[in-house]
Amino acid sequence: SMLESHGHTVITTRIDDTYYSLSYRTNKANRYNCDYFISLHMNSFSNRNARGCEVWVYDKSSRLYNTSQSVCDSLSKALNTPNRGVKVSKSFTVLKKSKMPAMLVEIDFISNSIVEDVCSSYDYCYVVAKNICNALLNM
């Protein structure tokens, strides 16, 4: 809704906890000829102390590379979590199969009890959305 309030059209692939395959998600974005594909995730690790935001892109030449750095920097500061940086992967389906520039945002580690306790609160979700929105608007 934040992006839409600035005149942007937003197509979502999920609005609830229903699982859709990664191919379904990228196919939908490709079918709608989206400008960008932003995939939001919560990371997980066996070490329950793990924390941090990271953003993945297909390669460093992506039009979203600098924006990914902004997203990572702003989320790290706003959520007071370590900045794990922007990383490159050619193996993530959503990065590989989307026809448009894409980023995969790992907001923080849901396996961390501190993050798990707050990540579904309105305030937490608002901070995440606001920081990602601002980075996208400032491209």
Side-chain angles (χ1 to χ4, degrees):
S1 63
M2 290 178 193
L3 287 170
E4 290 171 332
S5 73
H6 285 80
H8 296 279
T9 301
V10 176
I11 308 294
T12 58
T13 57
R14 288 176 48 161
I15 57 171
D16 58 26
D17 238 2
T18 303
Y19 176 78
Y20 296 99
S21 73
L22 299 175
S23 292
Y24 167 84
R25 299 173 204 194
T26 54
N27 288 340
K28 184 174 182 180
N30 292 338
R31 188 171 59 252
Y32 278 92
N33 199 28
C34 294
D35 294 323
Y36 302 103
F37 189 100
I38 314 297
S39 188
L40 304 177
H41 298 262
M42 294 298 287
N43 218 336
S44 184
F45 191 59
S46 58
N47 177 350
R48 294 190 50 84
N49 293 317
R51 293 277 323 258
C53 172
E54 62 191 27
V55 180
W56 293 83
V57 294
Y58 187 74
D59 59 38
K60 287 187 176 184
S61 66
S62 168
R63 286 190 309 177
L64 286 178
Y65 188 79
N66 290 336
T67 303
S68 296
Q69 289 179 312
S70 295
V71 166
C72 207
D73 293 345
S74 65
L75 284 177
S76 172
K77 289 175 189 161
L79 300 175
N80 193 28
T81 193
N83 185 337
R84 297 169 54 91
V86 177
K87 301 177 180 190
V88 173
S89 174
K90 297 196 183 310
S91 63
F92 288 128
T93 299
V94 296
L95 301 178
K96 182 171 50 175
K97 293 194 174 184
S98 48
K99 293 179 182 175
M100 68 289 304
M103 74 168 85
L104 187 152
V105 181
E106 293 284 5
I107 299 164
D108 208 337
F109 283 77
I110 197 167
S111 51
N112 182 296
S113 60
I114 294 167
V115 175
E116 184 182 21
D117 288 344
V118 298
C119 73
S120 63
S121 74
Y122 174 84
D123 291 341
Y124 185 92
C125 293
Y126 180 85
V127 166
V128 169
K130 187 70 174 165
N131 280 274
I132 293 171
C133 179
N134 286 343
L136 293 171
L137 292 173
N138 289 322
M139 288 179 34

